[in-house]
Amino acid sequence: KPVFLVLGAALMTASPVTSLVAFSKKGVEQTKQSTPTAIKVLLHDEIRSILIEVKGGYKAVCPVTGAHIASGFSTKRATMKPGVNGLFWGELLPGSYSMRIIPDSSDTAIFVDGLQYKGVLDIYDTGGAIRVINEVDVDSYLKSCLATSFFEIDDKEVLNALAITARTDAYYQIE
């Protein structure tokens, strides 16, 4: 299972990676796969609605069962909000109270309130509000954070040292 990190406004303000905190060190497990470890980043919590846009092919499944909810081959842009009978994303998704949006290819772009994210997006109805989580591999996550946090540094060796430190910290949080 991927590690959960609290990001909240840190992404919006481009805070350094060292400001991330694991929900629970004992409740965190590292993904046991040959692919890079995944990190789940909390983007938004307890909000009424949010604009979700997918440019390109995608499929939407239940994150618990893997059951198919929806799919598309071109752009879908609509407000996501909870409903009595399920999530609403441009249309009612009856009986679906959680959804994982998976891009079909690396060319597919996912936007949350206008900001682009790599990886997959999990959306949960938390009883009348929405929780949005981005699951991304560690390397992509660190590239994004370091690029926005240390854009004024030109020295390649300094950037390499920061990347090593940030990656070490991320894996420490996972363990």
Side-chain angles (χ1 to χ4, degrees):
K1 295 179 182 175
V3 60
F4 281 88
L5 297 177
V6 176
L7 186 59
L11 183 65
M12 305 301 178
T13 60
S15 295
V17 175
T18 54
S19 68
L20 298 174
V21 180
F23 277 117
S24 167
K25 285 199 177 206
K26 294 185 182 200
V28 170
E29 297 177 25
Q30 184 172 349
T31 302
K32 306 286 186 210
Q33 298 174 353
S34 60
T35 58
T37 300
I39 294 178
K40 286 191 171 190
V41 182
L42 179 63
L43 302 179
H44 298 279
D45 196 18
E46 301 299 320
I47 57 173
R48 291 286 190 199
S49 66
I50 193 158
L51 180 64
I52 306 288
E53 180 176 8
V54 181
K55 293 183 178 181
Y58 69 93
K59 63 182 176 179
V61 299
C62 173
V64 176
T65 66
H68 176 81
I69 296 172
S71 59
F73 300 102
S74 61
T75 299
K76 178 164 185 174
R77 177 184 166 103
T79 299
M80 175 81 67
K81 56 187 173 183
V84 175
N85 296 317
L87 291 170
F88 185 88
W89 186 33
E91 62 184 299
L92 179 63
L93 305 168
S96 298
Y97 297 93
S98 60
M99 181 169 68
R100 171 172 271 217
I101 300 173
I102 306 167
D104 283 347
S105 75
S106 59
D107 295 334
T108 299
I110 298 176
F111 296 84
V112 178
D113 276 347
L115 295 175
Q116 185 173 355
Y117 294 92
K118 290 186 179 233
V120 300
L121 203 64
D122 291 337
I123 299 120
Y124 298 94
D125 178 344
T126 58
I130 299 259
R131 174 177 295 142
V132 182
I133 298 171
N134 176 225
E135 183 175 327
V136 66
D137 67 87
V138 170
D139 291 338
S140 295
Y141 172 74
L142 291 176
K143 284 178 190 174
S144 172
C145 288
L146 291 174
T148 58
S149 298
F150 302 105
F151 61 89
E152 70 281 352
I153 298 174
D154 292 331
D155 187 343
K156 187 171 179 139
E157 292 302 316
V158 171
L159 288 173
N160 284 339
L162 287 168
I164 291 167
T165 303
R167 190 165 199 227
T168 302
D169 184 59
Y171 280 109
Y172 172 78
Q173 296 290 341
I174 291 168
E175 293 176 5

